[in-house]
Structures are given as structure tokens and as C-alpha cells.
Amino acid sequence: MSGETRTTCPYCGVGCGLVASRAAAGHLEIKGDPAHPANRGRLCAKGAALAETLGLEGRALYPEINGRRANWAEALDHTADVFRRTIDEYGPNSVAFYVSGQLLTEDYYAANKLMKGFIGSGNIDTNSRLCMASSVAGHKRAFGEDVVPGNYDDLELADLVVITGSNAAWCHPVLYQRMTLREPGAPAPRIVVIDPRRTASCADANLHLAPKPGTDAILFNGLLVHLARTGHIDQDYVAASVAGYEDTLAAAQVSAPDVESVAAACGLDAQEVWQFYEWFARTERTVTLYSQGINQSRTGTDKVNAILNCHLATGRVGKPGMGPFSLTGQPNAMGGREVGGLANQVAAHVDFGDAAGIEAVREFWKAPAMAAAPGLKATEIFEAIGRGEIKALWIMGTNPAVSMPGGDAVRDALAAAEFVAVSDCASDTDSTRFADVLFPALAWGEKDGTVTNSERRISRQRNFLPVPGEARADWWIISEIAARLGFGASFDYRSPAQIFREHAGLTGGTSGPARLFDISDLAEIDDAVYGALNPVQWPLARGAGSQRLLASGEFPTLDGRARMIPIQPAATVTADAKRPLILNTGRLRDQWHTMTRTAKSPRLTAEATEPVIDINPADAGNCALEEGALARIESDQGVLIARVHVTEAQSQGSLFAPIHFSDRFASDARVGSLIVPVCDPISGQPELKQTPVSAIPFDAAWHGFALSREPIEIIGADWWARAQAAGHQHTEFAGNDVPEDWDLWARSILGELHGGGEWLAFGDKGLGLYRFAVLRGGALAACLFIAPDHNLPDRQWLAGLFAESILKPVDRMALLTGAPAEPAGDQGPVVCACQGVRLGTIEAAIADGNTKSVAALSDATGAGATCGGCRAELTQMLKTHRQHLNSAPMEALAESA
Ligand code: SF4
């Protein structure tokens, strides 16, 4: 590459702008783009580590048929042939596409057009179904169209930000910083966090409400009742712009008649509930930010509408500093919604049921076989495959064998499917293992197109890396298949710009009620303008204003009014004697989805090298689980094994497990294996936040770990996890079968690593302790430790030895004693991924007494100085320290002073 390339981050829905360039030393540099309106130069740790994830290891570089290398013509011919024969024999609904919010809009558009206009089925759905389908459904019910009214500036203008069902500090870090780190002199907003967990987003909160899981709708129904009772309904707005107010209020009064009953139902303190309600009632500039904690629910759509009801009742929609704000999880979840990538949409915000709109799309596409009805949604697609009704599936840019709920049913379906094609940039994922045909797709940095972020902002994702191997753009692969199915004239695409123009043209060419999603101003742009396109928010039609929508009180419904929706909260999922805990799931701060990219960066894997579950101390005691031990989590459907982290941040009665781990990184860590696929009946979004589970210690006769410069083979372990750490591989394992000869076993585990090296070994059969190390040229090549329980040597100390070119005698000895000669103390987990600053260093600086602010702490330790993504944790640690000082006895305070 030459010069700088402006592009967009491939991870979360914030959609940060980036600048990619080559440093003088020749390596790639990725920085935040100061000119991009979403982030104004900021980046989180994931974005800042992008350059570390671009290597070709693990990339799909050539097409494959049944695991053997094929050429493009063979792979495309074979796939098209299977799809054609299947459609001819069983009809268009016997095939399906399962696509992704990782696809660019142009890819998404081509896939949707092929399925819905040419194959003639609605069977294209997306992993965004798992992410924000409830918000889409909620928006449509309330506003008449899937519209996010506000923009990111509103988070800076708001006086009150309500964060509910979102750990924005970790999952949308740059946006979180925008709301909490305001310009000097600008007043800080009041922040209320509603979350059963005390997450990093609580660090800056004035109030944290931790309701019982599943009671969100009661809480917001109660807010509506409180607004009405205290005279804070905007009567003029409701009269002019809203339908359904009376019925909605009456329904809310049934489930949430007063603050006390809300508090009792939600398990909250009544005074705190009242405080939240009062702040909301009295703060005009209020934004309610919500995400997966609301959406990923069997009643997610109702929860969304319970929130929207409160904003409609107060007229706080689409005006500066106020409005409901749905955060999208993926970089192009919004783009997928725009092209119609959900099975219940047609295209360009035209829905099934809108006969005139469908006809307009058909006419625009010159479509020979327009789908007449919605297709199957994500979970339904895999169920239909399991029943043999869908016979050919094409997965694009996603990993459903990990991310879908339903235990092993999805894997069983993929194994039993007559034909599975997978387009992916990674060659070995849990899903590519089921592929009859693997298409090597371009990855971020190689592909070119557009994405839309959570605030409706369309940005270019530009290529700046050479195409590796025979990888191809997704839109090209789709077009080639379309041509082989006989639709070449309609898929004669030569560039993403050509597709984008067509997509933009379609948004202005549909009839029926006026739709706000209209970017037809971009339908005629030439390639150069497309290439240089700056980030723009839609709508972009006939000079329409686009920063905020719906502020006028005019809604895209037949009568122009919004709808308040009466909500009767469903009963919550309850634990019982057999499954006494409720499992909650979500993201880690530094990982993305199934880690196919982020796991390549040691800086990012440092946060969690193995699957972990968070559990409250009381529950840990009840379940006989210790910090650092392994736990076996069971649901009625499956099993997960993870390391125990005991924390007060986790509410009693619930567990938290991260979603990221797949079979590539751990033996039994897919949260999807535990989750029963119960879906919201309106949105089809699965319930991923509430699964009854039990937790017991994982029984193992031995525990161990190995650190090695090269990957090792895992033999004879009943559980394992592995991660790429800085300069070495980190592997944890545990088992029940005790090898007869540990030395022999250790040599086989370390494989070639031990051959030709210096072998150090220690064993104490009575204590069950074994330690092994291989040195090459005096440097540590690998070490392996075994103990009868999880109390094993300090991994950080050992990891540090890989940096030594020749081990000192004292360190060689320490390898065999299992403890450093001069104990530095366990510094705990990494808090700052960018600078690798650990908890112990930060705690020491705080205890020092000279670091009373985040800025001072950052100066002293380096933590938070780069991307700032850990500032929420730093704030929380300072707060906790201050609380500790304030609660300390007088003598202790005098001492610390
Ligand atoms: Fe990427 Fe982080 Fe920005 Fe999200 S917040 S778009 S992950 S840099």
C-alpha cells in the first residue's frame, strides 16, 4: 500500500473511522481517523490491535470441495449445480442463505437480491437476528419503520443517559467514552445503568439498578405510570403524534401500578426506582441506550416497546440530546437491515405484506421469481435443515456452529445437511468443518464497500492490502453463482460501486407509504465519488435532513402517528432446585465474536486466555466453587466447563459466561451448547440472557498447563483451553486418567519441542506434582506443570521467562521448584490491553495515595493512556478505594492521611 487509506473498523456497531498506513519501519499502522464523525480519532483496544490480526495464518486462500483444493470454476459449478438441482426438485424453499453483519452492504444486497428476487424464497437470514432483531421489530411497531431517530451527538448533549441491557463501556467503548469524557467545561451527564450485573459501565453511573433478569418491561411500564401520575406526559405531542396512549397506560398500570410494586417485582430498592423515575421525568434531554440485554430475550420486542413508549409519551424522540437509542452489535448489522437481509424483510425497508412495495422491488430488479412470503428466521433455518426440509445451505461470513443456541442441534443439522457451502476468510472454524464447499472470501483490509453504523451513518470500508491466494469478494462469489443459475444479466457486477448505485436507486424507487430510508441521492454517483465517499447519514434524498429523524412528530405510518404498544410483561424464567442459577451471556472487552481474528493478538487474548464464568460469592459457596477452580455448568441441554471467577459484581442467583469461545480455543466452552433456542415470537430473536443452569466443581484427578513457543498437542485431557500469548502459546488442561509415566506423557505433549533440547524434570508422585521444561540454546522453549488441583505456579512469571535469551541458573532452578526465586507476587489480570498493565500495578499506584484521578493513575501506570478503553475500570477502582477509605475506622484514615 502507499500513503494512507481511510477505512472503517470491522468490529462493533460504533463504526469508528480508521486510517491505515505503512510506518517508516515497514509495518502497518492503524490509527483512529480524527475526521470520522463517529469516533473523532478515538479507538478501543480491539481497533487499536487490528494490525496484529492481519497475518495470513489460518486464512482460507483457495476454494475447497470436500476438504480438497479446487479451482474456482469447479467450486462455483458444483455449488450452483447443487442449488439448481435442489430448487428444481424440491422448490425454492428447500435452500437457504445464512449471512452476517460482517458482510459489506454490497455483498448483503447481492445475496438478498439473489434469494428473494431470483431463487424466489425468503430464506435468507442473518446472524444479526441474534443481535438486534427485537429492536427492528420494536421500531416498526412504534414508528412504522426500522429507524434509529438520533445520532451519537445526542449522547454528548444528553443530561441523563439511561444505559439498559448494555455494557457499553466494553461493547461500544468509543461511544461510552464520548458520553462520559466530555469536552472541558461541558457538564457531565447523569448516568443510570440498569443491568443485573455490575459491569464496567457502572463506573461512571450515578445510579445502578440491578433488576431481576427479565423484569425490564415491568420497570419501564412503571416509568410510564410514574410519568403519567406526576404530570410528565407531553399531552400535546401525544395528542398530535401518538396513537395507543390510553390503552398502553392502562396495561402498564396492571403490571406496574406503583413504585413499590415495581421494586418488589424487579427485586430493587423502591427509593432507587423512584429516583430513576424522577430523574427521567424531570430531565428533558434524556437518551435511553439499549442493546443485547434488551433484545436477546423471549420478549425482547415488548421490552423495546416498553422503552419506546416512555419516549413517545414524553415527546422525546429525535430531538437534540433525547431519544431511544438502539446500539447495533456488528459493524454492518444496520446495512443488513437496509438491504433486507432479514428473512421477514424484502429490500430497502419494504416489508412482506406491502404488495405495492414488493411489486416495485420486482419491477426494479426485473425479478423472475419474487419471494411472496417471509422466509425462515435463523433458528428456524437450522431446525428446517434438521428436519430435512432445507437441503442446501450457504453460510457467508459467520460461524453458526458456535454462535447459535440449541446445543448440538445446529451441528447435527449441519452434519446431516445434504449440502453446505461456506464463504469465509478463515479456513478452520467450527462451521467450515461442515463445508462441502469452502469459498475463500476477502477479509477486512482486502475488501471494499460500505457499512452503516448504529446512527445510520454509511462509511466506506476500503481495501489497502493485496488479495491473498485466490480469495475473492463475497459479491463476486454471489454474482458468479447467480450467473451459473441463469441470472447473469441481473448480476453482471464489475465493482462494489456498481452494486451500491443499484442499492441506492432501489431505495428511491419503491412506492407505497413514504419510507425514511432513502439514499437515492447516491444512485448516480460515479466510481470516483464512491471511492472518495465521506461518511454520511441517511436519508439522503432530495436534500432531506438526516442528522435526526422523527423530530417533527410525523411518522412513516399510514396516519402519520406513532404507536404506543400495550405491554403485558411475561413471567420471567425462574430457577429451581435442579437448575438453581440463571445463566447470562455476553461479550468480553477485548474479544470479538468467535475470536477468529481477535485471538491472533496476544494483547487482546491477555484479558482471558481461557473461558471464565463469573459467580457471586454466596452462589460460589453454595456450589462449592473456589476462585480459580474449574466449574461444570449444566443446562437441560448441554454442558460448559470454565474457570471460576468469584465476584460481587455478579448478582446472586446468576452466572455470566462470555460468548466467544469455540472448539478451536477450548474443549467445552460454547455457551450455545447450554442455551435452549426459545425465541421472541415477534422478532424471532433467541433468548440468550436467561438459561436455568446448575454449577458444580469439575472433577479432575489432575490439572496442568503448558507454555510453549510452538503449539503443542493435547493428549489425554478431559478439558483444555488454549490461547496465543505474547511470544508463546498458553495451554490449560485437566484430566481424570492419570498417565503411568508422567515424563513420557510430558514428552509426547511437547512433541518435537523437547527433541534436541535440554530436558528438565521434577516429579513427586506422593504429592502429584510434576514439572517439566525444555531449553534450547539456553532459552526456555516450553514448560509444563501438573498438580492434583488448580493451585499451579504463577503463569505470568513463567511467561516472562520467554523474553530471556538465556535463562539464569536461578530461573532454571525455579522452573523445577515451581516458584520464582524472588517472588514478585501475582499481578493479577491485565486491565489495560494496549499497555499490558496489570491489576496489581494499578492497585499499587492507587494505594500509593498520589493518584486520585484517572488521569493521574494513567500518568503513573500507563493504563488508559492509549485507547482509554479501560478508563471505566480505572474509575471503578478509584471509586472502590475511596469508598474503602470512607468506611475505614478513624485511626486507619489518619494513618492513610
Ligand atoms: Fe472498532 Fe472499538 Fe470503534 Fe467498536 S469502538 S468500531 S470495536 S474501534
Side-chain angles (χ1 to χ4, degrees), residues 9-16 18 39 42-48 50 171-175 592:
C9 178
Y11 296 128
C12 82
V14 178
C16 294
L18 310 173
N39 58 317
R42 287 186 171 124
L43 283 187
C44 77
K46 289 189 286 286
L50 267 164
C171 303
H172 298 89
V174 165
L175 210 51
W592 180 254

Side-chain angles (χ1 to χ4, degrees), residues 114-129:
L114 175 57
M115 181 55 79
K116 295 205 179 117
F118 292 76
I119 289 176
S121 170
N123 283 349
I124 171 170
D125 210 43
T126 160
N127 61 6
S128 296
R129 178 74 60 190

Side-chain angles (χ1 to χ4, degrees), residues 11 44-50 170-171 173 588-592 598 604:
Y11 296 128
C44 77
K46 289 189 286 286
L50 267 164
W170 279 19
C171 303
L588 293 171
R589 187 189 63 189
D590 296 340
Q591 288 301 331
W592 180 254
T598 42
L604 299 181

Side-chain angles (χ1 to χ4, degrees), residues 699-764:
D699 260 341
W702 56 269
H703 297 246
F705 72 89
L707 308 183
S708 53
R709 288 197 191 271
E710 286 146 43
I712 61 167
E713 205 179 339
I714 299 162
I715 304 167
D718 293 306
W719 171 86
W720 59 266
R722 62 177 150 216
Q724 176 65 56
H728 65 278
Q729 302 274 325
H730 182 153
T731 312
E732 297 276 337
F733 27 64
N736 275 306
D737 287 345
V738 179
E740 289 208 355
D741 184 335
W742 278 104
D743 191 274
L744 209 58
W745 180 84
R747 287 172 190 267
S748 63
I749 283 266
L750 296 179
E752 291 298 308
L753 269 165
H754 82 270
E758 187 183 350
W759 184 246
L760 308 180
F762 163 87
D764 184 326

